[in-house]
């Protein structure tokens, strides 16, 4: 179940990144204002416009394929979760038990919502890709980024907010804090992964336009992740000593250590970018590997039982 949860979270984060990618690569209808980019766009010739359409089509195609994979991962997690909750073997799970889990258990309803969001994203992206292939859409409107961002964010926050935060006595505050935490983390990690895929083979687009824009977004996301992570841990842990005395606390410390490494790698990449160093592929790959590790720890935190929070000393 942990691996299925990690797949749901990881692919969901990538979907969020692909949803915002048009704004970072200059294809979004509401891309951030950039005077230099605006002057370049006015001088863009047919080859530049064709390159823009190619990037937009790749974004739509990747969004459709990963949307289908996200739906498959959510369905697998729903199936395994129902089997675990019912205490039966996954291959002997009855449809009625699956239906009850999906409609009556909070975790099941969250996965069902994620599944619905994934299907909506996949369909929207594939329709956009077909429209672009037929020449009926311009790069700026491919993928309809605004609704796709909404579907993707709703799908990624549904599961985490129904876990420990949803059952906490102060859930009225804990749930929105965790939702912001998850959304910011997915924008950060998913955005970087999406740019690495969308800009593959186009290093100039990655280093001259996408990464400078993303570095600003990543800075805000890192601040949100840090603040909301501290608040979320404070909501969950009964006392500061639980950081060392409980399994959950030790996972929190491991996640914090991984976050610190990712933050250092991001600062390193941004400094090299400011110096005009175009050789950033290896650093981006290393940052993504560490981010994947942090997501694995986060998935373990989401699956941790209540006893892991209380600890041995409670």
């Amino acid at each position: 179940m942990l691996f299925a949860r990690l797949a749901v979270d990881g692919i969901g984060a990538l979907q969020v990144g692909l949803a915002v990618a048009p704004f970072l690569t200059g294809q979004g209808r509401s891309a951030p204002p950039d005077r230099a980019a605006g002057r370049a766009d006015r001088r863009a010739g047919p080859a530049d416009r064709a390159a823009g359409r190619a990037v937009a089509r790749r974004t739509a195609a990747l969004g459709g394929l990963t949307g289908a994979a996200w739906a498959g991962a959510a369905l697998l997690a729903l199936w395994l979760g129902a089997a675990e909750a019912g205490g039966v073997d996954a291959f002997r799970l009855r449809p009625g038990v699956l239906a009850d889990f999906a409609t009556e258990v909070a975790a099941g309803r969250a996965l069902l919502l994620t599944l619905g969001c994934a299907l909506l994203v996949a369909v929207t992206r594939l329709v956009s890709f077909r429209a672009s292939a037929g020449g009926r859409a311009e790069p700026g409107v491919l993928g309809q980024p605004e609704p796709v961002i909404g579907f993707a964010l709703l799908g990624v926050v549904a599961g985490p907010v129904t876990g420990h935060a949803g059952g906490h006595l102060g859930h009225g505050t804990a749930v929105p804090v965790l939702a912001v935490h998850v959304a910011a983390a997915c924008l950060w990690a998913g955005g970087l992964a999406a740019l690495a895929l969308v800009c593959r083979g186009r290093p100039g687009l990655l280093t001259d336009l996408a990464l400078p824009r993303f570095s600003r977004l990543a800075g805000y996301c890192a601040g949100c992740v840090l603040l909301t992570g501290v608040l979320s841990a404070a909501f969950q842990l009964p006392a500061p000593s639980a950081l060392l005395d409980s399994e959950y606390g030790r996972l929190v410390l491991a996640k914090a250590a991984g976050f610190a490494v990712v933050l250092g790698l991001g600062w390193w990449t941004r400094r090299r970018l400011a110096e005009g160093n175009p050789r950033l592929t290896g650093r981006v790959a290393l940052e993504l590997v560490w981010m994947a590790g942090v997501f694995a720890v986060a998935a373990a935190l989401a699956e941790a039982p209540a006893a892991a929070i209380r600890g041995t000393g409670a």
Side-chain angles (χ1 to χ4, degrees), residues 11 15 62-73 118-119 121-122 126:
I11 300 174
Q15 270 299 340
L62 286 171
L65 293 174
T66 56
W70 192 21
L119 291 174
V121 169
L126 291 176

Side-chain angles (χ1 to χ4, degrees), residues 241-278:
S241 60
L243 282 170
L244 297 175
D245 296 340
S246 67
E247 178 185 349
Y248 189 90
R250 289 188 287 272
L251 285 173
V252 168
L253 291 177
K255 183 181 175 183
F259 170 80
V261 173
V262 172
L263 201 61
L265 289 172
W267 173 82
W268 184 28
T269 301
R270 183 168 183 171
R271 182 178 177 182
R272 292 295 181 271
L273 185 65
E275 293 173 353
N277 189 338

Side-chain angles (χ1 to χ4, degrees), residues 272-296:
R272 292 295 181 271
L273 185 65
E275 293 173 353
N277 189 338
R279 297 172 179 262
L280 299 173
T281 305
R283 295 184 178 90
V284 170
L286 183 60
E287 191 172 345
L288 286 172
V289 169
W290 273 100
M291 283 180 169
V294 174
F295 264 73

Side-chain angles (χ1 to χ4, degrees), residues 55-81:
V55 171
R57 283 196 297 272
R58 179 183 290 183
T59 304
L62 286 171
L65 293 174
T66 56
W70 192 21
L75 185 60
L76 176 62
L78 190 64
W79 176 42
L80 294 177

Side-chain angles (χ1 to χ4, degrees), residues 15 22-23 36 84 86 89 96 129 133 142 166 194 198 258 272 296:
Q15 270 299 340
F23 299 100
E84 184 178 305
D89 185 84
F129 178 74
L142 285 178
V198 169
R272 292 295 181 271

